[in-house]
Amino acid sequence: NSFIVSIYLVGFFSDTKILASPKKRFLIQCLLILLFVAIFDVKINSSRIELFDVILNNKFFAIFFSTFCLLILINGSNFIDGLNGLLISSIIIILFMLTRLNLIDNSIISDQSINLIMLILLLLLLLNIFNVLMLGDSGAYLLGFFIGFLIISCHRNNPDISPYFFISLIWYPCFENLFSILRKLNREFSPLKPDSKHLHQLVLFFLTKKFDLKLIHSNNLSSGIICFFNFLIIYISTLNPSNTFFQIKLISTSIIFYNVSYMLLFKFYKSNLMSKK
């Protein structure tokens, strides 16, 4: 598909500094995703909120909303790729759970293809953990785009499953992105500019300072801890995938846990910076 290649190339040009401007990258992403959603009718059908679903029936709003969701996921996937194996592990977990619940329509992608993709991702995970291979922006954009398209397809083909179950699957990269945008705006900092205060970076800082670990060890340990908690959340979501109230409670609990963890880790980060001065 030309759109998959285009998304990959945006990341590739970012990795090679040919497309160094975050604003230009974001604008190109917006255009590509908007065209993809409009041409292939990749739209979210229902939110199970009556008033919002009435708005979703508007074709133009539905295209805008689906584009927004995909952009949040793609860039959130790139954010969490800051630790070895974190993004790849998250994608493997999501694919495994979707396969386990038999939610992937074979007309979209076959079981054999999903199994092959998971096998390739496991190999890439090993290489990533040992610093042999890095995904870069190109790999992160590609995986975010793929899993976003797959989840929207699963949502459309399984109307009995709560849409919030699919949010539970991808809550972490999406909330990491949204939280980062709000945090930067609150500090009058451009949301498009990178910084080193994402949750996974604070976890890395904490483990490195607290236990005096080598960077690669604290990197892999940080990734393992976050993946473990994310796996628990996703696993719990699969226990009752059709129950919207159950999924909303789970997402809300996850967000509260994220915010509390962030506040504690950021406090540790600031206190260590102050002690150096």
Side-chain angles (χ1 to χ4, degrees):
N1 190 297
S2 58
F3 283 99
I4 293 175
V5 175
S6 298
I7 289 292
Y8 176 82
L9 287 176
V10 173
F12 176 78
F13 290 141
S14 173
D15 291 331
T16 54
K17 308 303 179 185
I18 295 172
L19 190 58
S21 169
K23 289 183 180 179
K24 290 180 181 178
R25 283 202 305 272
F26 182 69
L27 287 173
I28 294 171
Q29 281 182 357
C30 287
L31 180 61
L32 287 172
I33 300 302
L34 187 65
L35 287 172
F36 174 75
V37 170
I39 292 171
F40 293 99
D41 194 33
V42 183
K43 297 195 295 288
I44 296 166
N45 287 335
S46 169
S47 66
R48 293 196 179 179
I49 300 173
E50 189 173 345
L51 179 60
F52 192 74
D53 284 348
V54 171
I55 304 172
L56 268 180
N57 286 330
N58 180 281
K59 179 181 178 181
F60 296 105
F61 180 81
I63 290 172
F64 166 79
F65 183 67
S66 297
T67 300
F68 171 77
C69 292
L70 280 171
L71 285 169
I72 289 292
L73 177 58
I74 289 168
N75 287 284
S77 298
N78 193 37
F79 278 2
I80 69 170
D81 189 42
L83 292 182
N84 289 348
L86 185 52
L87 174 59
I88 298 176
S89 297
S90 298
I91 299 296
I92 290 172
I93 292 168
I94 293 169
L95 288 175
F96 175 76
M97 293 304 180
L98 289 174
T99 304
R100 179 171 167 265
L101 294 177
N102 196 29
L103 296 179
I104 302 174
D105 194 324
N106 281 335
S107 65
I108 303 297
I109 186 169
S110 67
D111 293 339
Q112 291 82 1
S113 296
I114 288 293
N115 291 334
L116 178 61
I117 289 170
M118 284 199 284
L119 185 62
I120 292 171
L121 287 175
L122 284 169
L123 176 60
L124 292 177
L125 177 62
L126 287 174
L127 296 174
N128 195 207
I129 286 172
F130 290 105
N131 272 341
V132 176
L133 176 141
M134 299 295 155
L135 286 178
D137 290 351
S138 54
Y141 290 165
L142 190 61
L143 286 178
F145 178 73
F146 167 71
I147 205 67
F149 165 70
L150 188 62
I151 283 178
I152 291 177
S153 300
C154 290
H155 158 67
R156 289 165 61 91
N157 292 324
N158 297 277
D160 293 337
I161 301 295
S162 171
Y164 297 91
F165 164 72
F166 297 108
I167 295 175
S168 295
L169 295 179
I170 55 172
W171 82 273
Y172 171 53
C174 290
F175 188 73
E176 178 84 298
N177 192 0
L178 289 170
F179 183 84
S180 175
I181 291 170
L182 294 174
R183 173 173 55 80
K184 290 175 183 178
L185 288 175
N186 184 53
R187 298 183 181 184
E188 299 182 352
F189 187 76
S190 172
L192 295 177
K193 291 185 178 179
D195 69 0
S196 57
K197 297 182 181 66
H198 300 298
L199 177 69
H200 63 272
Q201 292 167 320
L202 295 180
V203 173
L204 175 65
F205 181 85
F206 174 80
L207 292 176
T208 303
K209 293 294 181 182
K210 195 74 174 177
F211 301 104
D212 194 28
L213 298 173
K214 291 182 178 179
L215 186 58
I216 188 170
H217 295 152
S218 56
N219 189 311
N220 289 332
L221 181 58
S222 301
S223 180
I225 290 171
I226 295 173
C227 279
F228 173 74
F229 282 104
N230 197 34
F231 171 78
L232 283 181
I233 292 163
I234 292 175
Y235 173 74
I236 292 169
S237 75
T238 66
L239 300 179
N240 200 349
S242 298
N243 190 318
T244 289
F245 185 60
F246 177 84
Q247 297 298 329
I248 290 175
K249 284 196 298 182
L250 179 61
I251 294 166
S252 301
T253 303
S254 304
I255 289 172
I256 291 169
F257 181 76
Y258 178 105
N259 279 281
V260 171
S261 301
Y262 190 93
M263 285 189 294
L264 293 173
L265 289 166
F266 190 68
K267 184 178 179 181
F268 178 84
Y269 173 80
K270 284 205 302 184
S271 64
N272 273 265
L273 289 185
M274 292 297 292
S275 65
K276 288 181 178 180
K277 293 182 180 180

